[in-house]
Amino acid sequence: MSFSVGLIISTYNSPQWLQKTLYGFTCQSVIPDEVIIADDGSTEETKHVIDMFRESLPIKHIWQEDDGFQKSRILNKALLVAESDYLIFTDQDCIPRRDFIETHINNASKGYYLSGGNFKLSKKTSDLITNEMIASGDIFSWSWIRKNGTKLNGKMLKLVGNRLVSRVIDALTPARSTWNGCNSSGWREDLLAVNGFNEEMHYGGQDYEFGLRLKNMGIKSKQVRHTAVVVHLDHQRPYCTQETLEKNFAIREETRKKGIVKTPFGIEKL
């Protein structure tokens, strides 16, 4: 590997889920050079969980005061703190398979960002997960998931264990390759060139809009939704409102129609 790799994990007041996710990253075949936890105003309980992993992961904890859903703002702060050439993004509720970091590294190429996905677990299944299950890889098994409360569906293809088969499915899938905050990666210089995330946007589509601006700059996307694997733990979204969704949709459409590259509401306020 001829470039440095950082991991950015967004979090907000979900210490139990964050603990499972961080444990998943201690089990990786490749440990990133830095792990930046972008904390949108969590309480001390989250800090205690983070401190548990400081000896096993190269953690930087970036915190801001709770001011409602401000994920874009804290991600921009994380981007400024990041020192690595290549950055992988995920969320507090996404447990990675052992080869997650390695897969992003192996697929990284100049002029592209990587678009991953997730497989959603039920609340029952999410609650049952232990460190031992994460370390063994059981939680990525179809039989284990079905046996422990999550119904099988077409999205189970994201958990195909064979790498060659997974690459073929990624090449053939009709799904769009967009920037997905739970599982995407790109070159830091590209992410800074579009002025980071749009802080005018709250929950619902801010990641998609970020990917649009990368595309407008000429950065292509590559599908890794079946090869870079995470399982998504169940949780509620009280911060999701129809008003916010409509506002974000309007911003996305403006970005698309006008070919906007640099948001005026990003790292630098233009």
Side-chain angles (χ1 to χ4, degrees):
M1 183 174 66
S2 59
F3 53 89
S4 55
V5 176
L7 172 70
I8 296 180
I9 306 173
S10 66
T11 191
Y12 174 72
N13 277 339
S14 189
Q16 289 181 312
W17 278 187
L18 179 63
Q19 186 277 328
K20 296 176 192 287
T21 294
L22 287 175
Y23 185 79
F25 282 108
T26 68
C27 300
Q28 292 292 290
S29 57
V30 177
I31 300 296
D33 298 293
E34 58 181 347
V35 176
I36 303 171
I37 300 179
D39 187 344
D40 190 18
S42 302
T43 62
E44 282 293 308
E45 191 176 357
T46 290
K47 182 180 182 300
H48 293 326
V49 168
I50 293 169
D51 288 343
M52 291 166 50
F53 290 91
R54 289 191 180 276
E55 291 187 7
S56 51
L57 293 171
I59 286 177
K60 299 176 181 177
H61 182 194
I62 310 303
W63 181 91
Q64 65 186 12
E65 289 189 11
D66 189 348
D67 185 27
F69 187 90
Q70 299 291 347
K71 181 180 178 182
S72 293
R73 184 190 301 169
I74 194 63
L75 287 179
N76 283 340
K77 291 178 181 179
L79 274 173
L80 288 175
V81 168
E83 300 178 78
S84 299
D85 303 315
Y86 195 76
L87 298 174
I88 303 168
F89 288 72
T90 191
D91 293 328
Q92 64 187 5
D93 46 22
C94 293
I95 304 177
R97 195 171 66 186
R98 187 175 185 274
D99 60 347
F100 177 78
I101 297 290
E102 181 182 357
T103 299
H104 274 274
I105 291 171
N106 289 341
N107 285 277
S109 55
K110 289 291 186 179
Y112 286 84
Y113 75 80
L114 301 183
S115 170
N118 64 78
F119 181 78
K120 291 182 172 64
L121 302 178
S122 69
K123 182 65 163 61
K124 176 183 177 181
T125 310
S126 301
D127 287 335
L128 288 172
I129 293 175
T130 65
N131 287 351
E132 290 73 25
M133 294 170 184
I134 295 170
S136 69
D138 287 345
I139 65 170
F140 302 99
S141 160
W142 289 1
S143 59
W144 184 91
I145 289 172
R146 183 181 66 248
K147 188 185 303 180
N148 289 281
T150 296
K151 294 180 179 179
L152 296 181
N153 57 56
K155 295 182 179 180
M156 295 294 290
L157 288 175
K158 294 176 182 176
L159 302 179
V160 171
N162 185 291
R163 291 189 180 186
L164 177 59
V165 173
S166 297
R167 286 198 293 269
V168 170
I169 297 173
D170 272 336
L172 297 176
T173 179
R176 290 183 180 181
S177 52
T178 58
W179 185 277
N180 303 311
C182 66
N183 185 355
S184 286
S185 61
W187 300 96
R188 180 167 58 97
E189 62 182 358
D190 294 336
L191 311 187
L192 293 174
V194 298
N195 201 23
F197 295 84
N198 187 332
E199 296 180 15
E200 189 182 26
M201 301 179 74
H202 301 293
Y203 181 81
Q206 75 271 33
D207 296 320
Y208 185 89
E209 193 271 346
F210 180 67
L212 276 178
R213 286 187 283 110
L214 287 169
K215 179 181 178 181
N216 291 342
M217 191 174 71
I219 304 299
K220 299 177 181 179
S221 56
K222 182 179 179 181
Q223 192 73 265
V224 292
R225 65 192 291 116
H226 299 91
T227 47
V229 176
V230 299
V231 291
H232 191 291
L233 304 172
D234 183 70
H235 63 87
Q236 295 181 333
R237 294 174 174 82
Y239 39 78
C240 178
T241 67
Q242 188 62 33
E243 180 183 3
T244 297
L245 293 176
E246 290 174 0
K247 176 184 176 182
N248 286 359
F249 180 79
I251 294 172
R252 283 166 48 188
E253 287 304 295
E254 182 180 31
T255 297
R256 188 197 312 276
K257 291 176 181 177
K258 295 184 178 180
I260 295 171
V261 170
K262 298 185 72 169
T263 173
F265 302 99
I267 294 172
E268 298 178 6
K269 306 303 183 284
L270 304 177

